[in-house]
Amino acid sequence: MTNGGDRVPIDAQQVDAPLSRFAVFLVLGVPDRAEGLDVVREEIAGIDDLVKTVGFRDLNAHLSCVVGIGARLWDRLCPDARPAELREFPLIVGPTHTAPPTPGDLLFHIRAERLDLCIEFERLLLDALGDAVTVIDETQGYRYFDARDFLGFVDGTANPIGAELAEASLIGDEDPGFAGGSYVVVQKYVHDLTRWSDLTTEQQEAVIGRRKADDVELDDAAPGTQAAHKTLTTIIGDDGEELDILRDNMPFGRPGQGDLGTFFIGYSRRLWVIELMLRRMFLGDPPGLHDRILDVSTALTGTTFFVPSNPVLQGLSTAPPDAPTEEPGGGTPIGRPTPHGGASETGSAGSEE
Ligand code: HEM
């Protein structure tokens, strides 16, 4: 992939992998043990080899895997340098709905046209990582009709394409040591489909901001009135241009278990853009008029990761010579906010707007 803004080829991870039929979103914790950290270094640096091993069995299935690293793990792997915006997911408390931050040291976003390839890859990966990791969340997503979510709307239409894709999702000159990297935010939402089906199609379309059947975009509501989801998630930069993110949401769940939902995943060159979208959704713009999608969608998780470029990921394979050693059982428990960010640093988002 190349970064449109800089005209320099960047060896980025496959954040731009094509829309797939299946995905596994695997969020892991890495307990504080020095041996475990070495295993993690080796496995994430060699992830491409595992993609080849499994993916070669059916090249038409386009297996890919993007590795994200949480702020707390990043500081353990690379104590001397941190991507400029890397911090933990903020607690956002709106008047009606809350976006909770939840733990996560590693994200593996595994995509393919075949679920068996995703599962085989995940199985071998977890075998190799062994007790260096704990599984925090594992969600299997699947394509539902023509890329619809369980609310029945086509999801992903406004994604950037072509040169805009790298411009929106990959870090450039602004943080040269981490150029080609990306920030990724995940949130697992479950839907109340009974409540959603109580709305008429016109009411649902007003919530989303697009027509349900043919996906055509509706006009924005008048300023100061209830805004649609597509309006609340549109962020305009200082130059008047829209600041896009790259989403690859997937429906998940089993009707028999009553847990149908949407796994939100958004990649961005600028973490603040996703955080601002979230604040506008949960707090509302104008304040008080929150995103009505939240009345039928509850966020169960919220975690932020950094996706290094391939050379930076491979460079993590060896510990820096002066890296502090970690004692078995010592250190900060997984998921607690660290002094570098998390709920305490950005939790004030609730009062920012
Ligand atoms: C647009 C669904 C959560 C950001 C859309 C659209 C749908 C949708 C149906 C319109 C079609 C499209 O352009 O893709 C959902 C569902 C969610 C969810 C079901 C969770 C329950 C989020 C979150 C964010 C977000 C958490 C950001 C933090 C966006 C953006 C757009 C969009 C940027 C495009 C806006 C535009 O420029 O038109 N979403 N979304 N969404 N969503 Fe979401």
Side-chain angles (χ1 to χ4, degrees):
M1 177 185 277
T2 58
N3 181 321
D6 305 320
R7 286 173 289 129
V8 178
I10 290 178
D11 185 7
Q13 291 191 57
Q14 254 196 299
V15 300
D16 64 339
L19 195 68
S20 58
R21 297 191 67 77
F22 298 100
V24 172
F25 305 91
L26 184 63
V27 175
L28 305 179
V30 181
D32 291 331
R33 284 185 295 110
E35 325 83 81
L37 203 58
D38 287 340
V39 173
V40 166
R41 285 183 188 284
E42 197 181 319
E43 293 309 320
I44 61 176
I47 200 79
D48 269 359
D49 290 338
L50 189 55
V51 172
K52 283 184 198 156
T53 301
V54 180
F56 195 69
R57 295 169 69 178
D58 181 359
L59 289 173
N60 291 327
H62 303 294
L63 176 72
S64 67
C65 176
V66 172
V67 182
I69 301 170
R72 177 182 166 277
L73 177 63
W74 181 270
D75 288 344
R76 292 168 63 202
L77 291 171
C78 187
D80 298 331
R82 183 189 250 220
E85 281 196 80
L86 182 59
R87 53 187 167 256
E88 291 187 13
F89 185 94
L91 168 69
I92 304 175
V93 182
T96 315
H97 302 290
T98 295
T102 52
D105 288 321
L106 284 171
L107 168 74
F108 294 92
H109 182 195
I110 305 162
R111 289 176 272 189
E113 291 303 293
R114 285 172 47 173
L115 181 59
D116 56 352
L117 258 71
C118 295
I119 301 293
E120 177 71 352
F121 177 87
E122 186 191 358
R123 185 181 73 78
L124 293 172
L125 176 68
L126 286 173
D127 270 359
L129 287 167
D131 62 6
V133 298
T134 55
V135 175
I136 293 176
D137 186 52
E138 178 199 39
T139 303
Q140 285 176 17
Y142 41 83
R143 179 108 56 88
Y144 185 60
F145 294 102
D146 42 342
R148 289 180 190 259
D149 50 44
F150 277 116
L151 303 182
F153 283 77
V154 177
D155 194 347
T157 314
N159 266 334
I161 52 169
E164 291 168 358
L165 202 156
E167 203 292 319
S169 57
L170 296 185
I171 295 167
D173 281 347
E174 68 276 18
D175 194 3
F178 295 103
S182 189
Y183 298 99
V184 62
V185 172
V186 295
Q187 272 187 308
K188 188 172 178 170
Y189 286 90
V190 284
H191 299 308
D192 180 344
L193 294 181
T194 309
R195 194 166 172 190
W196 183 240
S197 62
D198 286 343
L199 301 183
T200 63
T201 301
E202 289 71 26
Q203 287 170 326
Q204 293 180 353
E205 290 175 337
V207 170
I208 301 291
R210 284 185 180 267
R211 288 207 307 242
K212 195 169 184 178
D214 60 15
D215 197 26
V216 170
E217 193 171 349
L218 302 177
D219 289 340
D220 284 336
T225 63
Q226 176 65 56
H229 175 65
K230 64 117 189 184
T231 311
L232 290 167
T233 52
T234 297
I235 308 297
I236 308 293
D238 291 339
D239 58 1
E241 293 293 314
E242 256 185 51
L243 292 168
D244 288 330
I245 64 170
L246 176 61
R247 293 165 292 130
D248 198 358
N249 297 356
M250 278 259 177
F252 69 86
R254 297 154 297 175
Q257 308 294 314
D259 62 354
L260 299 179
T262 297
F263 196 96
F264 166 81
I265 182 163
Y267 290 93
S268 182
R269 173 180 188 162
R270 310 161 184 93
L271 180 57
W272 68 267
V273 169
I274 303 185
E275 292 174 340
L276 183 54
M277 289 175 179
L278 287 168
R279 288 205 299 275
R280 286 166 56 90
M281 286 176 66
F282 282 82
L283 307 180
D285 181 44
L289 293 183
H290 65 262
D291 193 330
R292 297 291 143 176
I293 222 174
L294 300 176
D295 293 342
V296 295
S297 315
T298 304
L300 302 180
T301 69
T303 322
T304 298
F305 303 90
F306 176 65
V307 175
S309 66
N310 282 320
V312 172
L313 187 65
Q314 281 144 19
L316 294 176
S317 63
T318 45
D322 54 350
T325 52
E326 294 184 3
E327 296 301 322
T332 318
I334 295 174
R336 298 275 168 79
T338 71
H340 302 289
S344 54
E345 188 178 278
T346 42
S348 60
S351 56
E352 278 177 26
E353 292 199 344

